[in-house]
Structure formats: C-alpha cells, structure tokens
Amino acid sequence: MFNLSDNVRKVNLINRRLFIVTAAKVIVFLGLSSRLYSLQVKDRNKYLTLSDKNRIRESKLPPIRGEFKDFFGKTIAGNNEVYQLHIIPEQVEDFRHVSLRLKSILNMSERQFQKLLKKKNEVKPWDTIVVSDNLSWEQFSRVNNYLYELTGVKSVLSITRIYPHKENFTHVLGYVSQANEKDLIENEHIKEKFVPGLRVGKTGLEKAFEKELLGVNDIQRFEVNAYGKKVNQIELQKGSKGKDIRLTLDTEIQKYCSELLKERAGSICVMDIYTGEIIAMQSSPSFDPNLFLFGINEDDWQLIRNNPLKPLVNKTISGKYSPGSTIKPIVALSALENGIVNPQFTIKCEGKVEMYGQTYHCWKDKGHGFVSLKNAMKQSCDIYFYEIARRLGVDRLSETAKKFGLGERVFDNLFQNEKKGLVPNTQWKKNALGGGWLLGETMITGIGQGYIQTTPIQLCLMTAQIANGGYKIYPKITVEENNNYFDKFTPLFKNQKNIKIIQDSIYSSTNEVMGTSYSSRINNLKYRFAGKTGTAQVKRITEEERELDLKTSEIPYEQRDHALYVAYGPTKNPRYALSIIIEHGGSGGTTAAPIAKKLFKVIIDRHKLREEAKHNKFLDI
C-alpha cells in the first residue's frame, strides 16, 4: 500500500525532469536562434561574399609576349601560332578511357600516357590539363575528327615564341622555356602572371627584359554550379601584349658574323665608336633556341652539352682570354701619358732578353733590330713592350687599361653571365694570392700574358674609344636608351696627341709593309681600316717546343694559341670598331685579320642604310 509521501516524491521527480528537459529545449532553441541571427544578419555580408566566390570563378590566360626587333625593325624573336590539346577533367566521365583514346589518336608513348594520368591527379577537377602544347598539323587534324566523341577535350589555337633566325641571335637574346618553381620564387612579376605552361626568359635579353616582355593576362570570369562546373561566362577582361624591344643589332651583319665563325669557336663584336651601339655580337658555336620552347629532348641536349667547343657559353661577354698583343696600344698609351717614353724612344730587339736569370722571348727568333714605338707596334715587337712595361710598372698600366674599359662589365648588370675579367695590379695580387708582385709579371703583362684576362666585348670597347679620339662611350644594345654621341666632357687621356700617336701606330700595323696584318689590308679608301693583331698563348712554351718551331696544324688543338684582332674603320672617318677572337686559331695575323677584311666591307656598305633608318619615321628610330 503506497502512502502519500511516495506519490509526492514521484511527482516532484517528474516535475524536475520536465523542468530540465524544458530548460534544455529553451537553451537549444536560444542557441539556434542566436546562430541563425549571426549567420543571417550579423555575418550576412561575409557569407554572401563567400557564396559569390563559390559561384564565380576566375581564370587567367597566358599573356602574349613582346617581340624583339633588330635596328631596321625586322623581327628576330617573335610569336607564332601553335596547335594545343587541352582536357578539363570535370567534364570527362571516364578519364582513363579518354586518355587511352588520345594515346591511340596521337600515337603517344607509354611515358607520355603515364605523365598525362599523373597530371590528372595533381590538378583540381576544373583546372585545364595541357595534353600537348605543340601538335603537328597532322595530329591537330586527326584529333579534330574525333572531338565529337571526346567530351571534355578541346583543341586550341595558341601563341608561342619563335626564333626565325635560329642560332644567329641565341647568345644575345637567350631563350624562353616553361616557368619553374625557381622562376616563381625569384621573380614576383612572373608569379603574378603565372598560368600553367607559361614560358619565361631563361638567359640573355629574354631574361633581362622579362618584366617588359611578359605582357598582361586575359582574365576570364565564369559562373559554376555546385560541382564546380562552368555554366556561364560572365566577363572576359582583355589583357595586353608585352612591350616590343628594338635592338641596335643589324641582322645581316650578325648573320655574316655567324658565317665567318662557322665550325670555329670564338667571337666577333662590332660597335659604333660614337654612339656605343652594338652592331653585331656573335659567339660561336651557337645552338637553335627553338629546341627549348617545348622541352628539349635528351639527344639534342647531350649534343649541345657535350660539344667540346662549348656552345652554351657566350664567349663575347663570358669568355675570359689573355689579350695578347692587342693590349699593346694601351701599354704604349699609358707609357706616353705617364711620360715614361716618347715616340722616338728606341731599343734593339735581338729576339730575347735576360732579366734576373729569366729569359723573355720575342715572337721573332732573330729579333727586329732597332725599333721605335711606331715600328714596334707595326711589327708587334715583344722586346720593346717588355721594356716599356718594365719602366711603366703594372699599377700605372692597370689604371690606363681600366679607363678604357678593361676589367669591368661593359653592360653593367644587363647580362647575368657577363664577366669582369681581370686587370691585375700589386694590390690585387697581395689580396688575392697573398704575395708580392714580381718584375717579370709586369713584363709579361706588357704583352698581354700572365694574370690579365679580358672579354671580347671589352677589347671592342677599348678599340672604339681609341678610334673616337679617346672619349668615354657607353655601349648599348637597345635603341630606347639614350643615343647621344660620346661624352665630350669625359676624355680618357691627358694629352690627345698621345691618342693620335697610337692611332698612327695601329694604322701602320695594317697598312704599311712589315705590318703584322699587312696582308689583310684594303687599298680602297672607302673600306680601309686599321688594326692590331694578337696571339695569346694558352700554355707555357718549353725550350724544346720552341726549337721544334711546329706549325699550328702540327700542335694539338687545345694547345694552340688563340688568334685575336682588334680594328676600326674606315680610317679616313672612323665609325666602327670590332674585335675578333678565334679560339686555338694560331696567329692573329693569319686567322683573325682576314676575317676583319671581309667584315669591314659589309659593315661600311650598310652604314648608309643605317643612317637612313635613323631618320625613318616608320621605324621610330
């Protein structure tokens, strides 16, 4: 029998439980209401924006790259139409089946097929996969015949880089290839414009002017459904092509330089001695930059990489060579400027000279007899220049050489791979090698051997500044730069008469009997030029080898001397300077000077065209 107190306790228990349940419902309701208020009222704008972002997508298309033009407005690095094949995974029902069909249609290798499958796993469903960025016309036609059954596959007409002159401008322009992770890290501009398959400059001017060339992307905005599939294009924002850059180079002269250097390792530079404009700048051997556009194959890469003549090296700005006797005009000028000798200073050359137990040889075994400055320059007498270098000292020689452009980058930081070379002095040796400077080192520096290292472009600049009367010029390779003539307020001399003495001496070397390049002279005043030969040893000659007196053809290739030549012309009214180096070419007089003879005729014949082009309003030069 239940009593009253038991009933009361049960009622109270039930009431408490009902209260707890009711309270919990109220708390949950209030929480839901608060959250709904937050979502719909307080954070309305935030989630509206997020909703739009989920609904509207944006994609960038590759920007159109600016072109390089030569001085006359001819395209030397342009753009070309290419056929591409794309897949959008979200539109493909069976990706593997479609991939197998494409493998059959395009005759893809197993490696290419597996690469395609791998790409699919690396991208988002709505991202585009580039199956091929350079279809042949045959492949493009074949795949278009099957597009009706290949859902999600589309053929695309796109734009890519093209180098119409192939290897002729490679070391100046460089080349483009697909942007990699390093490019994105190092260049914010590339990172901003990046799209899959974007090609950017890897070397040369393509890399130097990347920002100007790259252009602005087209931007496509479109609406997607809940699955991310495109349902409607909302907007297409047109970008802009990159800036076209006009260079000072003359394509015809550049191509001719390439022909003259065919099957040789070396360099040719041609420069306007007043404006500093680079007319030609060729390094040999070269390679076809078009090979890198879509990824170079292994065979082509190994052929280029393993070529013993080193086609990957831009010898014009990166090759460091002993200048040999081409340095003698600077040695003589420095001696004149510092009052060490005068033009009548004479010594007797007997073929060799002894100094502190060391023998220093002249290139002519029996010697040149009594020679003054002019005759010593004309015949390139080593004994004469040993003596004036000894009297001058390396520090004063170094100062003059640097004034005329040796030992410093000619283009500042325009080319990443340009080398400074080396013009030594006593302080340099102490800092770099921890030793004192020796007199014998001064003497061999006086004939362009020893520690001194120059680049071909530096030798061209040196010659140009001697030719223009001794004034500083600033070499340029783009016509957008300041084209003012040389700075008349920056003379490189103390007494201009000394420059005239050097010019006369160089003239005699080419145009007077017994001159080292007399056989390459041109009698016609229109084409006549003045130049200095150089022969740079690549190894020390032993007494045994000196006695054998071997011909160049009898010496192993890698042990042969480098052949050099610097010149300017026409001599009546000088306008152009050049430098030529043929690696392991032997004598500068027999190998390099004859090239200059051929080249000056072309350079001077094209001078009138160049002057006319400067005033041609259609070329905007």
Side-chain angles (χ1 to χ4, degrees):
M1 186 173 192
F2 296 102
N3 56 36
L4 183 61
S5 61
D6 291 334
N7 289 333
V8 170
R9 282 196 298 275
K10 289 181 179 179
V11 170
N12 288 337
L13 179 63
I14 291 170
N15 287 337
R16 282 198 300 274
R17 289 177 177 176
L18 286 172
F19 175 78
I20 291 170
V21 170
T22 302
K25 288 181 178 179
V26 170
I27 290 170
V28 170
F29 176 77
L30 289 174
L32 289 172
S33 298
S34 175
R35 183 59 179 158
L36 286 171
Y37 174 80
S38 176
L39 290 172
Q40 296 184 16
V41 179
K42 186 179 178 181
D43 294 333
R44 177 177 178 275
N45 292 333
K46 172 185 174 182
Y47 288 101
L48 183 62
T49 301
L50 289 175
S51 175
D52 283 341
K53 285 186 176 180
N54 284 332
R55 182 174 62 85
I56 298 173
R57 295 255 169 81
E58 171 178 295
S59 68
K60 292 188 292 187
L61 303 177
I64 299 177
R65 198 168 182 82
E67 299 181 354
F68 281 108
K69 311 280 188 177
D70 81 344
F71 188 79
F72 297 94
K74 296 178 181 177
T75 299
I76 55 178
N79 298 310
N80 193 29
E81 292 182 344
V82 291
Y83 303 110
Q84 298 182 344
L85 190 65
H86 296 176
I87 295 181
I88 304 174
E90 68 176 3
Q91 298 177 5
V92 179
E93 294 181 5
D94 186 340
F95 191 87
R96 187 173 183 85
H97 171 74
V98 170
S99 299
L100 284 168
R101 289 288 294 124
L102 289 176
K103 180 183 179 183
S104 174
I105 294 168
L106 299 177
N107 295 321
M108 295 169 64
S109 66
E110 182 62 27
R111 182 181 177 184
Q112 291 172 319
F113 175 69
Q114 293 299 328
K115 188 176 179 180
L116 176 59
L117 296 180
K118 183 180 178 181
K119 279 185 182 179
K120 193 260 183 183
N121 297 324
E122 294 174 347
V123 302
K124 296 175 182 178
W126 55 81
D127 284 341
T128 298
I129 296 175
V130 180
V131 180
S132 175
D133 51 11
N134 188 30
L135 291 173
S136 67
W137 172 249
E138 182 183 355
Q139 290 174 318
F140 184 73
S141 302
R142 192 185 309 133
V143 79
N144 274 304
N145 289 332
Y146 294 96
L147 279 181
Y148 69 92
E149 63 179 70
L150 299 172
T151 306
V153 178
K154 61 178 180 177
S155 55
V156 177
L157 182 63
S158 187
I159 301 293
T160 191
R161 201 50 144 185
I162 187 72
Y163 299 99
H165 298 286
K166 298 184 178 179
E167 70 277 358
N168 288 307
F169 287 95
T170 303
H171 289 106
V172 179
L173 299 179
Y175 61 88
V176 300
S177 191
Q178 287 198 25
N180 55 31
E181 186 176 353
K182 183 181 178 183
D183 296 318
L184 297 177
I185 293 172
E186 293 180 351
N187 192 317
E188 283 294 326
H189 196 67
I190 293 175
K191 184 177 180 180
E192 178 188 344
K193 306 293 177 64
F194 178 76
V195 293
L198 177 67
R199 284 165 176 77
V200 298
K202 297 293 184 177
T203 60
L205 296 181
E206 289 278 22
K207 185 175 181 67
F209 290 103
E210 184 63 42
K211 183 176 180 180
E212 292 86 348
L213 291 166
L214 196 51
V216 179
N217 308 76
D218 286 353
I219 297 178
Q220 185 183 39
R221 293 187 178 89
F222 49 86
E223 188 176 2
V224 298
N225 60 21
Y227 300 98
K229 185 176 181 178
K230 296 179 187 178
V231 294
N232 182 38
Q233 178 172 303
I234 298 174
E235 180 187 5
L236 178 62
Q237 180 180 319
K238 293 294 291 181
S240 59
K241 179 184 173 183
K243 179 182 177 182
D244 288 347
I245 296 176
R246 195 178 302 279
L247 304 181
T248 59
L249 300 172
D250 183 330
T251 296
E252 296 307 311
I253 296 176
Q254 183 80 7
K255 286 166 64 177
Y256 190 51
C257 290
S258 182
E259 291 175 21
L260 293 171
L261 289 172
K262 191 174 183 180
E263 298 181 357
R264 290 168 162 167
S267 164
I268 297 177
C269 308
V270 183
M271 182 186 299
D272 187 308
I273 69 172
Y274 295 117
T275 67
E277 293 172 345
I278 304 298
I279 312 302
M281 195 169 78
Q282 179 65 317
S283 175
S284 177
S286 186
F287 58 89
D288 186 354
N290 294 300
L291 295 173
F292 288 85
L293 295 178
F294 306 104
I296 189 169
N297 65 53
E298 187 65 21
D299 290 341
D300 287 334
W301 172 240
Q302 291 303 327
L303 282 173
I304 294 172
R305 184 183 181 187
N306 297 325
N307 187 329
L309 300 183
K310 300 180 180 179
L312 290 172
V313 176
N314 184 348
K315 297 174 175 63
T316 305
I317 60 174
S318 301
K320 296 188 292 185
Y321 306 94
S322 297
S325 295
T326 61
I327 197 70
K328 288 176 180 176
I330 291 295
V331 178
L333 177 63
S334 186
L336 291 170
E337 291 276 278
N338 286 285
I340 303 302
V341 299
N342 59 46
Q344 288 74 42
F345 174 73
T346 302
I347 68 166
K348 184 180 181 182
C349 171
E350 296 179 334
K352 61 183 178 181
V353 63
E354 299 284 338
M355 186 70 65
Y356 299 111
Q358 180 69 41
T359 303
Y360 298 89
H361 294 270
C362 185
W363 68 267
K364 190 174 182 180
D365 291 339
K366 295 182 180 180
H368 294 94
F370 288 97
V371 287
S372 61
L373 190 152
K374 182 176 180 179
N375 283 328
M377 188 77 72
K378 177 167 66 174
Q379 300 180 67
S380 200
C381 175
D382 291 332
I383 302 300
Y384 185 92
F385 285 92
Y386 287 143
E387 179 59 20
I388 64 172
R390 183 187 71 79
R391 295 182 178 213
L392 176 65
V394 72
D395 288 337
R396 287 184 288 195
L397 171 55
S398 174
E399 183 181 351
T400 305
K402 288 177 179 178
K403 273 185 182 181
F404 277 80
L406 305 184
E408 294 295 336
R409 291 187 181 92
V410 170
F411 296 108
D412 294 322
N413 296 314
L414 182 62
F415 292 94
Q416 261 189 351
N417 57 340
E418 184 177 2
K419 304 299 183 185
K420 293 177 67 174
L422 172 63
V423 176
N425 56 29
T426 53
Q427 190 63 45
W428 167 83
K429 188 179 180 186
K430 182 178 180 181
N431 294 340
L433 303 178
W437 189 265
L438 304 176
L439 180 60
E441 292 169 337
T442 298
M443 294 173 68
I444 63 172
T445 301
I447 63 164
Q449 296 287 164
Y451 296 118
I452 188 168
Q453 297 282 294
T454 58
T455 63
I457 191 65
Q458 289 173 355
L459 293 177
C460 190
L461 174 59
M462 173 195 79
T463 308
Q465 292 175 147
I466 290 173
N468 71 25
Y471 293 96
K472 179 72 176 173
I473 58 173
Y474 300 90
K476 55 184 67 70
I477 201 165
T478 62
V479 298
E480 287 79 9
E481 296 179 39
N482 185 357
N483 278 334
N484 288 336
Y485 274 16
F486 62 90
D487 186 351
K488 293 182 179 179
F489 301 101
T490 310
L492 302 174
F493 52 81
K494 296 176 184 177
N495 186 338
Q496 195 168 24
K497 289 182 180 179
N498 293 327
I499 296 290
K500 185 66 170 63
I501 292 168
I502 299 303
Q503 290 176 338
D504 290 342
S505 298
I506 295 174
Y507 178 90
S508 70
S509 181
T510 304
N511 297 288
E512 293 183 7
V513 177
M514 298 181 69
T516 53
S517 56
Y518 183 68
S519 62
S520 295
R521 71 195 181 284
I522 300 177
N523 290 323
N524 188 333
L525 277 175
K526 179 181 178 182
Y527 303 110
R528 186 175 295 174
F529 63 94
K532 181 71 191 77
T533 57
T535 303
Q537 296 176 8
V538 298
K539 66 181 287 291
R540 187 181 181 89
I541 301 175
T542 66
E543 288 299 326
E544 182 182 355
E545 289 171 329
R546 196 177 298 277
E547 289 176 7
L548 287 173
D549 194 23
L550 298 174
K551 295 179 180 178
T552 299
S553 60
E554 297 173 323
I555 302 172
Y557 175 79
E558 65 278 2
Q559 296 180 16
R560 298 173 188 173
D561 298 336
H562 295 324
L564 298 95
Y565 194 64
V566 295
Y568 63 88
T571 54
K572 187 176 181 180
N573 292 297
R575 189 56 191 269
Y576 299 102
L578 59 78
S579 67
I580 299 170
I581 180 167
I582 306 298
E583 289 185 357
H584 308 294
S587 165
T590 58
T591 304
I595 292 175
K597 179 178 182 178
K598 296 176 182 178
L599 189 54
F600 263 116
K601 290 182 178 180
V602 177
I603 295 169
I604 293 170
D605 279 341
R606 291 189 63 79
H607 172 70
K608 185 178 179 181
L609 294 174
R610 193 173 185 88
E611 290 299 298
E612 290 174 352
K614 286 184 179 180
H615 305 289
N616 189 330
K617 62 182 179 180
F618 298 108
L619 293 179
D620 295 321
I621 293 175

